[in-house]
Amino acid sequence: MKLGFGESQSPYSSGSQSARAWTEAWVGAWAYCPHCGNSKISTFRNNSPLADFFCTSCREEFELKSQKGKFGAKVLDGEFKTKCERLAASNNPNLFLMNYDLNTLAVVNLFIVPKHFFAREIIEQRKPLAATARRAGWIGSKILLDRVPESGKIHIVQNSIVRPKELVLAEWQKTLFLRSESPESRGWLLDVMKCVEALGKSEFTLDEVYAYERHLGDLYPGNQNVKPKIRQQLQFLRDRGFIEFVSRGRYRLRS
Ligand SMILES: [Zn+2]
């Protein structure tokens, strides 16, 4: 994998336009499918409203978003209604997020948020476009990247270093169990995963996760039984091999 956009690409002219061409060409040339390991992914011939690439081997679909600077807490995305409708669909795209450097014309970071990390809770509705806008009334969406657990941000390139492909594929496999959950029930699971990660240690206690009771209660104001809900999610994560049970009230993150 070479990180440079290459000299064959269209010369730098109007900023975002040529950057889009470069980043798309780069993904088509160098990115592999993180789901099945296929060495290439292909561009959709006709512009698809949501996906940019697909894998000819396993049919996974991918959307690419790229920008110069690092992505912040929220990422602008497509139409809100379409996004929500596609959540449960088998062809909902995985999301590639790329940062590039315009001086060196190269990829700096490329990570992927697998589609099974998309729950209704991480898609925010934007305000409808003003009546004066060309697409007046159109409602876009934002992806709340800060609500996605770290295990849902799989780096292929990190700080200009290409990570080993085996590592990327293994990280991808580790959370595939989330696909068996509906997007509705996934939200809780992802939020508890995020709390467990936030503890920042491989072994932790139930009480330590309970410390997030208030935080989780704020995220789900309708739920009065946060502690039982936490226990339920931990049990699920244990059954799926994401964490393991050490002793009464003690868990360990599987590496
Ligand atoms: Zn594939």
Side-chain angles (χ1 to χ4, degrees):
M1 187 182 283
K2 283 198 178 116
L3 297 180
F5 290 140
E7 285 155 18
S8 59
Q9 302 305 325
S10 48
Y12 179 68
S13 54
S14 72
S16 66
Q17 202 59 37
S18 52
R20 179 79 199 165
W22 286 332
T23 56
E24 278 189 1
W26 187 90
V27 168
W30 297 105
Y32 51 85
C33 172
H35 184 68
C36 72
N38 197 18
S39 59
K40 267 206 191 322
I41 56 174
S42 309
T43 318
F44 275 104
R45 276 190 196 286
N46 305 316
N47 270 352
S48 158
L50 285 170
D52 304 304
F53 299 93
F54 69 102
C55 172
T56 52
S57 174
C58 71
R59 314 306 292 184
E60 286 283 310
E61 296 190 8
F62 304 91
E63 181 189 5
L64 170 67
K65 295 213 166 282
S66 49
Q67 63 182 41
K68 266 187 291 178
K70 284 202 170 184
F71 287 96
K74 298 179 181 186
V75 179
L76 289 181
D77 207 357
E79 192 193 16
F80 177 71
K81 198 165 146 266
T82 321
K83 273 276 146 189
C84 292
E85 283 168 0
R86 278 284 288 265
L87 271 185
S90 60
N91 63 343
N92 194 34
N94 302 283
L95 180 64
F96 273 123
L97 293 171
M98 180 198 284
N99 305 129
Y100 51 84
D101 185 335
L102 278 183
N103 295 317
T104 57
L105 291 184
V107 178
V108 178
N109 288 297
L110 175 68
F111 64 100
I112 184 154
V113 180
K115 66 179 179 187
H116 43 275
F117 279 86
F118 285 81
R120 174 62 191 81
E121 286 80 2
I122 72 153
I123 302 175
E124 188 178 271
Q125 182 170 357
R126 293 175 66 197
K127 280 196 197 127
L129 292 185
T132 50
R134 192 168 53 84
R135 289 183 296 170
W138 187 84
I139 301 173
S141 64
K142 280 180 187 172
I143 293 175
L144 307 181
L145 207 51
D146 59 347
R147 201 147 161 196
V148 176
E150 289 311 302
S151 48
K153 298 168 189 166
I154 303 174
H155 277 85
I156 293 171
V157 179
Q158 192 162 31
N159 300 324
S160 304
I161 292 167
V162 181
R163 296 181 68 226
K165 184 175 173 181
E166 314 86 76
L167 220 57
V168 171
L169 298 187
E171 285 174 7
W172 180 278
Q173 290 296 323
K174 222 173 110 180
T175 58
L176 264 189
F177 66 85
L178 288 168
R179 290 195 178 184
S180 63
E181 285 294 287
S182 71
E184 293 78 45
S185 56
R186 234 178 252 158
W188 262 99
L189 204 49
L190 298 175
D191 286 318
V192 169
M193 279 170 88
K194 202 162 165 60
C195 294
V196 167
E197 285 177 354
L199 290 171
K201 39 191 186 180
S202 58
E203 247 186 79
F204 59 93
T205 67
L206 182 59
D207 284 336
E208 286 173 318
V209 188
Y210 277 166
Y212 291 98
E213 184 182 6
R214 181 122 179 242
H215 164 71
L216 291 165
D218 287 346
L219 293 179
Y220 298 91
N223 195 300
Q224 305 301 318
N225 297 297
V226 176
K227 278 185 175 174
K229 202 77 184 164
I230 290 175
R231 283 200 303 277
Q232 186 192 41
Q233 308 311 309
L234 289 174
Q235 196 162 6
F236 182 90
L237 291 173
R238 190 193 69 177
D239 293 346
R240 295 298 190 276
F242 189 76
I243 58 175
E244 56 189 342
F245 185 68
V246 180
S247 59
R248 197 181 157 81
R250 292 194 78 85
Y251 299 88
R252 184 184 296 133
L253 263 179
R254 300 270 306 262
S255 53

